[in-house]
Amino acid sequence: MMSLDPRTKLLILSITSVFVFLNESIVIECLFTVISILLLLQAKEFLTVSKYGILFIILLMTQLFLILKLPITVGAIIYMFDIYIRKLIPCFMLGTFLIHTTKVSTFLAALSRLHLSKGFTIALSVTLRYFPTMAEEWNCIKDAMVLRGITVSFTGVLRHPVKIMEYVYVPMLVSASKISDEITQAAITRGIDHIGRRSCLEKVCFSVWDALIISIYMGIICMIVLNLVWGGIFP
């Protein structure tokens, strides 16, 4: 299985987060999405791929076929939301790829090579562990609410708005605060705030795959710049 350096994952996520909004071409946008899908597939994140892939196709078909048949005002509103959500999809997929395929110890080892500030490094490391823990807590709360006959969905919010607020969102806020404290305490116990040079057993290095992925993204950046300068090169 292809293994990328955490620094490469951060780099391509940063590139995608910036240039996907500068891009005006559907072809390049699809290229961003296809690369993200391929990375998730090789990481065996099939559920994530199916969820975001189907959503992207639906939004793309909406722009190409449905919006043209709607009144101008309604079509413009739907078009705005359609474009914005679709541009976020590759960012979400690469974020999921980073979180699900990177151990915190490997992430710390990679960031230490960049000589970043300790505060920034600690914040990123805690964030990397925070979201999976919150997802587990969210699933537990949803299961508990189902046993009480409350469905955490759009229809459930319409039927029981007060109960959803009391039994779902309040526990989530309490859990968020508790989890952040627990993760911080665990990190301090492991010596994350040590001022000296840290040793690490994790081997972190760039590979041929890293060079290939970075080259592909540099090529995409060149395509976006050319499209912006000369306009209409890529549809």
Side-chain angles (χ1 to χ4, degrees):
M1 184 178 68
M2 179 176 63
S3 178
L4 296 179
D5 189 282
R7 290 166 290 183
T8 302
K9 298 174 187 178
L10 271 179
L11 178 62
I12 63 176
L13 176 57
S14 302
I15 290 174
T16 303
S17 301
V18 174
F19 284 92
V20 76
F21 289 98
L22 298 176
N23 171 52
E24 298 176 352
S25 167
I26 294 180
V27 173
I28 299 177
E29 185 180 337
C30 291
L31 190 57
F32 272 121
T33 305
V34 168
I35 294 174
S36 303
I37 287 175
L38 292 176
L39 290 174
L40 284 171
L41 284 176
Q42 67 86 28
K44 298 182 180 180
E45 295 288 337
F46 303 115
L47 181 60
T48 304
V49 168
S50 60
K51 179 173 63 175
Y52 285 118
I54 292 172
L55 178 59
F56 182 84
I57 292 173
I58 291 174
L59 292 174
L60 183 60
M61 293 300 105
T62 299
Q63 177 188 347
L64 296 178
F65 300 106
L66 179 61
I67 292 178
L68 298 176
K69 299 179 180 180
L70 296 174
I72 296 178
T73 305
V74 177
I77 296 174
I78 296 177
Y79 176 81
M80 180 181 64
F81 284 103
D82 184 285
I83 291 292
Y84 186 76
I85 295 172
R86 208 172 67 223
K87 287 181 180 294
L88 287 174
I89 289 177
C91 304
F92 288 148
M93 286 196 289
L94 289 178
T96 303
F97 175 69
L98 171 65
I99 291 173
H100 289 186
T101 61
T102 308
K103 296 189 297 183
V104 176
S105 56
T106 307
F107 191 70
L108 277 173
L111 290 182
S112 65
R113 305 283 182 87
L114 299 177
H115 304 289
L116 300 174
S117 66
K118 187 174 288 292
F120 181 73
T121 303
I122 292 174
L124 279 180
S125 303
V126 171
T127 302
L128 190 68
R129 186 68 189 92
Y130 182 80
F131 285 110
T133 307
M134 280 301 300
E136 294 175 4
E137 190 70 19
W138 172 250
N139 290 330
C140 291
I141 291 175
K142 285 199 300 183
D143 292 341
M145 291 304 99
V146 170
L147 294 176
R148 294 188 177 190
I150 301 174
T151 304
V152 185
S153 61
F154 181 73
T155 56
V157 172
L158 294 179
R159 292 176 58 190
H160 308 287
V162 178
K163 289 185 178 180
I164 291 290
M165 183 71 68
E166 181 180 357
Y167 297 143
V168 177
Y169 296 128
V170 172
M172 278 295 295
L173 291 175
V174 175
S175 297
S177 177
K178 182 180 177 182
I179 289 171
S180 61
D181 290 339
E182 290 176 350
I183 292 177
T184 303
Q185 292 168 8
I188 292 174
T189 303
R190 296 182 179 184
I192 198 171
D193 58 343
H194 179 56
I195 59 175
R197 183 179 177 84
R198 294 175 55 88
S199 60
C200 184
L201 296 176
E202 297 288 345
K203 183 180 179 181
V204 178
C205 62
F206 286 102
S207 65
V208 177
W209 290 113
D210 294 286
L212 177 61
I213 291 295
I214 293 174
S215 300
I216 291 173
Y217 273 86
M218 291 300 106
I220 294 176
I221 292 176
C222 293
M223 292 171 64
I224 293 173
V225 173
L226 290 175
N227 204 50
L228 289 174
V229 173
W230 288 329
I233 298 178
F234 305 101

